[in-house]
Amino acid sequence: MSQATFGDDEELFGEAANEMRADVESSLEDGWAALPDADDVWETDADNVLGVLNGLNSALDAGDAEEHLRDAKKWFTMGQRADAFEDADDLEEAIGDLEDAIADISEAGEQVGELTSTIPALRGTLEDAGPDTDADESEESAEAEDTDESAEDEEDEADEADDTEADDGDDESDEDEE
């Protein structure tokens, strides 16, 4: 192998190393771009908690970010093993940051998924908990009717007493006339 060929190999290796770095950086950029937008996770237009949770669950999708992360790791590993990067610390840190973000999104998605299945059951439990409101309403209605009937009975008794007194008074006046 001639000295000129060896010089060309170094130049080619340098180009390949630069391309690998560019591939890692590009994959990282694509990975970050594939993550959900912060406003999609934060804002909602749902009418109830279940709607909010379903919307959030949809927003918490890392999409293609995991595939882009995989590509970045693949090119980074290849370049690192070939000792192609002069300074790879920044790439390694960027890969770790993206990996952490994807893991956080995934964990949040699992938690939201659990809440999405728990909240309707909790609502049902709370609706069924405590005294039966229909029975309470029936009892209250019956008590109100009893109270009304008692009041009517008292009025009837009072009317009868008045009628009896009036009849007694008529009998007395009839006796007075004789």
Side-chain angles (χ1 to χ4, degrees):
M1 190 186 263
S2 71
Q3 189 71 2
T5 306
F6 185 69
D8 289 338
D9 288 345
E10 283 294 317
E11 188 177 315
L12 291 174
F13 184 78
E15 284 179 34
N18 288 337
E19 287 176 11
M20 274 190 244
R21 178 178 265 286
D23 284 342
V24 171
E25 290 171 346
S26 175
S27 293
L28 289 170
E29 286 175 22
D30 292 344
W32 283 108
L35 293 177
D37 188 51
D39 288 342
D40 292 341
V41 172
W42 189 253
E43 296 176 1
T44 186
D45 60 349
D47 295 332
N48 58 41
V49 172
L50 190 57
V52 169
L53 291 172
N54 284 331
L56 182 57
N57 203 14
S58 296
L60 290 173
D61 181 14
D64 294 333
E66 290 177 348
E67 187 62 33
H68 294 299
L69 175 63
R70 187 178 183 327
D71 286 343
K73 285 175 144 183
K74 177 176 63 178
W75 288 113
F76 177 77
T77 302
M78 183 180 283
Q80 198 174 34
R81 286 190 181 163
D83 202 24
F85 304 130
E86 290 179 22
D87 182 22
D89 292 342
D90 62 330
L91 293 177
E92 193 169 11
E93 184 178 333
I95 287 171
D97 290 345
L98 181 57
E99 200 168 35
D100 290 345
I102 291 171
D104 289 348
I105 290 169
S106 177
E107 183 179 332
E110 289 173 14
Q111 291 173 351
V112 169
E114 289 175 16
L115 279 174
T116 302
S117 64
T118 302
I119 294 298
L122 177 60
R123 180 181 183 208
T125 299
L126 293 173
E127 286 176 340
D128 294 342
D132 186 13
T133 55
D134 292 338
D136 289 346
E137 290 173 8
S138 297
E139 288 176 18
E140 288 174 12
S141 177
E143 287 175 12
E145 287 177 18
D146 289 345
T147 304
D148 290 344
E149 288 177 10
S150 296
E152 287 176 11
D153 289 345
E154 288 175 10
E155 286 178 19
D156 290 343
E157 289 174 6
D159 288 343
E160 287 177 16
D162 288 342
D163 288 344
T164 304
E165 286 177 14
D167 285 343
D168 288 344
D170 287 343
D171 289 344
E172 288 176 7
S173 51
D174 287 343
E175 291 175 7
D176 290 340
E177 289 177 9
E178 293 178 5

